[in-house]
Amino acid sequence: MNALHIGGYVQRPLHPPQAPPSSAPHQPLQPGPPPMMSPPGPMAPGPLTPPLGSPPPMAAAPPVTGMSSPPMGMSGPFPGPPPMGGGAFQPPPAQMQGQVFPQQPGPYAGPMSGPQPGFPGGAAQMAGPPQKKLDPDSIPSTTQVIEDDQAKRGGQLYSTNMRGQVPPLVTTSFTAQDQGNARPCFMRCTTYTFPCSAELAKQSQVPLATIIKPLANVPSNEAPLYTVSHGESGPIRCNRCKAYMCPYMTFMEGGRRYQCAFCNCINEVPVSYFQHLDHMGRRMDVYERPELSLGSYEFSATLDYCKNNKPPNPPAYIFMIDVSFANIKSGLVTLVCQELKTLLDNLPREEGAESSVVKVGFVTYNKILHFYNVKSALAQPQMLLVSDVSEMFVPLLDGFLVNFNESRAVIHNLLDQIPDMFAETNESETVFAPVVQAGLEALKAAECSGKLFLFHSSMPTAEAPGKLKNRDDKKLVNTDKEKTLFQPTRGVYEQLVKECVTQGVCVDLFLFPSQYLDIATMGHIPTHTGGSIYKYSNFQVGADGEIFLSDLRKDVQKPIGFDAIMRVRTSTGFRATEFHGAVYMSNTTDVEMAAIDCDKAVTVEFKHDDTLSEETGALMQCALLYTTVGGQRRLRVHNLSLNCSTQLADIYKSAETDALINFFAKSAYRAILSQPLKTVREILVNQTAHMLACYRKNCASPSAASQLILPDAMKVFPVYMNSLMKTLPLVGSTELSTDDRNHHRLNLLSMGVEDTQVLLYPRLIPVHSMTVESEGVPSALRCSEERLTDGGVFLLENGRSLFVWVGQSCSPELLQSLFNTPSLAHLPTDMSSLPELDNAHSKKLRSIISSICEQRPNSMKLQVVRQKDRSEVAFRQLLVEDKGLCGGGASYMDFLCYVHREIRTLLT
């Protein structure tokens, strides 16, 4: 654990932390004085704040309840962080007086301040002698935690042969070896030790959740998944709970029966699957069968797992291009058509197949739709118009969806003609819902699943189903009605989602807006069909073309499964209750996805329905049934076994901060649909304080109340939580674009742990001091303005944005070698790519940027910013340890002080 003086003022140099022995790992940043706490016991009685997350079991997706009563013995309502930008969460002035706590012994000595002005309970303005602030280096550092884990576990082989093992961090590079549990790239948990009882879970307030990325890319140095066939009768599964055969099943009676690990039912072993047992009671073929020895594998699915008991057709991709005035004028239509000529050679294909069997089709539209017949026998493509968009139908079946290789000449001809056909258009109105409907009807007629790629520019205002009107009302910000800005317009859009999921139609949306679009509504379709939303505001081919094309290439080529359904089964005592992601739920157990790709993750929350046993642990099995790009029906199974404990210390010891923050972010982003932002932020702070207070009371060695003591595995949790509260959706500010807030919110819902980690704690890399000979990326610095130097150049990335910041005193030599400019004044402010220069510095920086971009699912537009330029605001907004610029928001230090005060209130 970590102990540090919060609110104390440092008067002498700091020393490295010492670690005393204890039940959970501690690293107190100060040896404590004589005990000042009562012995650990149950936490103070009183109502708990409803945590973010699931409501009572079996509810589909009800709102997170607000706080009806003060938490845990606090008098009066929980003050919570006040609305950002107003009143509170201001840093304490340097000059302040008030209660000063006595000086504490130890290296972090110094008097501790009482209530601070600007926070609830603090005096507004108090004069007094100036005092030094707590040294920022003394509070837990995310970059240090990442470096320590890389040093300790980086480059090693991580075998998944132990139950409840905590894997290396997502930022650590390691090789995983599957030995009976799913690898961390597929499944990560908020804690790898579940509490044995619901009471213990409630007391700790640590959410129990798993983030599952079923089709995650397996690193090239790790073994790919094996595909198993159990013959015509299909995969072997438990008769009662339908769990699939896995390493946790126990064979008995000489191998003739097996006991299900999930529901304890005794099943007969089919004759064809029989095998003798060895002297340990294990099957003789245990290491020859992936399903008996590995955590992840695939089954070939039989016709019973197919729609209408028929093998599926391969999926199709339909490219639907908005040819309204804005897209023609910007050059987008020409750009898309040119790119598709080469991109279609790279359609995804089954592993080992020579070519792709994915069929393609083309539609252009403004307020009417144009379908194209590109049958290989034609000399010229044919256009068919549908002007009645109220009753959408597909005017041709034969020749609309074709094999690209067979129709290559006709398709190339079409792609050359489209920009010229619409070059003189003045039509600025568009439709949207009928376009999705058209793609859906085409795939329905072809009896296949597939993906629609929509390249769209403006709000659909033409008379048609799904017509939208501008509802962007900034007066709603910071009111109880702000939630309506995040809610989609129902009706047509909801019905479309339902139909798309049923047919296995995924929608990817590429948006090129110059004004408000209503992404809350338009993005509802991609979000719930397993698709993605890309947004390029005020698109210009020169500045944004390459980023858009890079996104499009990644999107078309990425591994993907269609018409998917996922079920998470658990051993007795707990069950899955809530699912967050790009998913659709028509009931409480089946997660339906029109498609799921390698980047999409589903966050699953669990609740107890009985007690768990320390002996048997907690088991979970995720089964995903899907259609491959080659048209094969497969079942992918991931198994994971966790420990269970009656000791709170074990739960905290095996917690994973990166997975926890993924869960909290998704829970909060769902909650803002039904609750005021202020309430959601209060719940987030409250739950942070509850988790840490419970740890302090029950797991930490007694120490002075003035020390903030954090569990070792969660010591940087507060910096992530504070950063989450400063993200666009959770900041109430009229300066922010409603579409940007919604885009951010919808994108995060399907993110995996590595994506939310870097989004909430960006990487700040010093470029000026890098050694050009060394391999890899230089160590990152803490995300704070204090780390920047006037003479430096820094790279900052969060998976969505990429900045190169140049200090005003940067040396001319460095400017010349990186940017080919003699001075800062000559550096162009609109530079969006680095010049390719033949020197070591330039090559090193470009290789770092390219290695970062390869890791991220999205392409990032490079922005070069000069110190003190206006464009610096977007860069500084990502320095998450500092105060928020847009709409306020506390610095990490102030947030830590605030949480510490809440913890002390809870403990007294």
Side-chain angles (χ1 to χ4, degrees), residues 117 274 278 309 382 419 450 538 620 664 666 695 716 776:
F274 174 78
D278 64 13
N309 287 43
Q382 296 171 345
N538 303 310
M620 56 185 77
F664 277 114
K666 291 182 182 183
Y695 175 81
V716 291

Side-chain angles (χ1 to χ4, degrees), residues 197-483:
S197 67
E199 290 67 40
L200 207 60
K202 189 176 178 183
Q203 192 181 341
S204 76
Q205 291 271 305
V206 175
L208 309 178
T210 301
I211 296 91
I212 307 173
K213 208 188 238 191
L215 296 184
N217 281 325
V218 175
S220 55
N221 59 347
E222 293 179 19
L225 266 59
Y226 290 96
T227 303
V228 180
S229 173
H230 281 175
E232 287 180 19
S233 54
I236 290 169
R237 53 200 303 206
C238 170
N239 289 330
R240 185 196 290 161
C241 71
K242 302 297 181 199
Y244 293 91
M245 182 53 69
C246 72
Y248 315 143
M249 305 298 191
T250 311
F251 288 85
M252 51 185 63
E253 293 181 29
R256 286 188 296 279
R257 293 181 167 198
Y258 70 91
Q259 182 172 22
C260 174
F262 297 91
C263 70
N264 300 319
C265 173
I266 308 283
N267 296 271
E268 296 286 333
V269 173
V271 178
S272 59
Y273 197 67
F274 174 78
Q275 178 59 269
H276 295 287
L277 307 184
D278 64 13
H279 65 288
M280 308 258 298
R282 290 182 310 187
R283 284 174 57 120
M284 305 287 276
D285 61 355
V286 64
Y287 293 114
E288 292 159 31
R289 290 192 174 272
E291 74 274 23
L292 298 180
S293 55
L294 300 178
S296 303
Y297 41 87
E298 287 200 330
F299 288 116
S300 297
T302 52
L303 290 180
D304 299 344
Y305 294 88
C306 303
K307 268 187 194 162
N308 310 324
N309 287 43
K310 278 167 46 183
N313 289 316
Y317 283 7
I318 304 179
F319 297 90
M320 315 183 92
I321 306 167
D322 163 2
V323 288
S324 64
F325 178 73
N327 276 357
I328 293 290
K329 185 179 160 216
S330 71
L332 174 77
V333 174
T334 306
L335 190 68
V336 172
C337 290
Q338 285 306 314
E339 177 62 27
L340 287 179
K341 287 184 193 172
T342 50
L343 184 54
L344 295 178
D345 274 321
N346 299 319
L347 289 169
R349 53 173 165 240
E350 201 76 71
E351 212 164 308
E354 278 185 26
S355 61
S356 174
V357 291
V358 174
K359 291 192 166 180
V360 293
F362 303 89
V363 172
T364 54
Y365 66 95
N366 35 51
K367 63 180 185 184
I368 61 174
L369 279 77
H370 325 101
F371 293 79
Y372 297 94
N373 183 346
V374 284
K375 205 170 168 180
S376 57
L378 296 173
Q380 285 282 336
Q382 296 171 345
M383 178 203 273
L384 291 92
L385 264 70
V386 177
S387 52
D388 179 7
V389 288
S390 57
E391 292 288 326
M392 204 58 231
F393 68 98
V394 180
L396 78 160
L397 294 178
D398 189 28
F400 178 62
L401 293 176
V402 296
N403 178 298
F404 174 63
N405 281 327
E406 291 170 12
S407 295
R408 181 186 295 268
V410 190
I411 290 172
H412 275 217
N413 198 333
L414 170 69
L415 294 171
D416 285 335
Q417 288 182 36
I418 286 175
D420 299 336
M421 269 191 278
F422 299 98
E424 302 304 316
T425 188
N426 290 318
E427 185 56 73
S428 58
E429 280 195 313
T430 58
V431 294
F432 178 70
V435 183
V436 176
Q437 188 77 50
L440 173 65
E441 297 300 334
L443 295 174
K444 239 188 233 177
E447 295 185 359
C448 69
S449 53
K451 197 181 217 186
L452 311 180
F453 296 82
L454 268 80
F455 306 92
H456 192 89
S457 65
S458 59
M459 190 192 289
T461 52
E463 277 312 319
K467 174 185 176 179
L468 296 175
K469 56 179 189 288
N470 191 332
R471 56 193 188 99
D472 184 19
D473 186 356
K474 290 285 164 57
K475 290 198 286 294
L476 301 179
V477 174
N478 282 327
T479 71
D480 284 359
K481 287 189 176 171
E482 184 170 6
K483 55 180 179 267

Side-chain angles (χ1 to χ4, degrees), residues 97 183 191 223 240 340 345 386 409 513 553 581 606 616 633 649 657 670 804-805 816 855:
Q97 202 181 346
R183 286 171 273 186
T191 174
R240 185 196 290 161
L340 287 179
D345 274 321
V386 177
R553 286 168 199 147
F606 301 98
T616 55
R633 204 73 175 138
T657 290
R670 176 187 282 189
V804 172
W805 181 90
Q816 191 67 52
Q855 290 170 17

Side-chain angles (χ1 to χ4, degrees), residues 806-810 812 815 819 821-828 865-867:
V806 187
Q808 55 192 12
S809 313
C810 182
L815 286 169
F819 307 107
T821 55
S823 72
L824 195 65
H826 288 85
L827 189 66
V865 294
R866 300 186 298 198
Q867 186 178 6

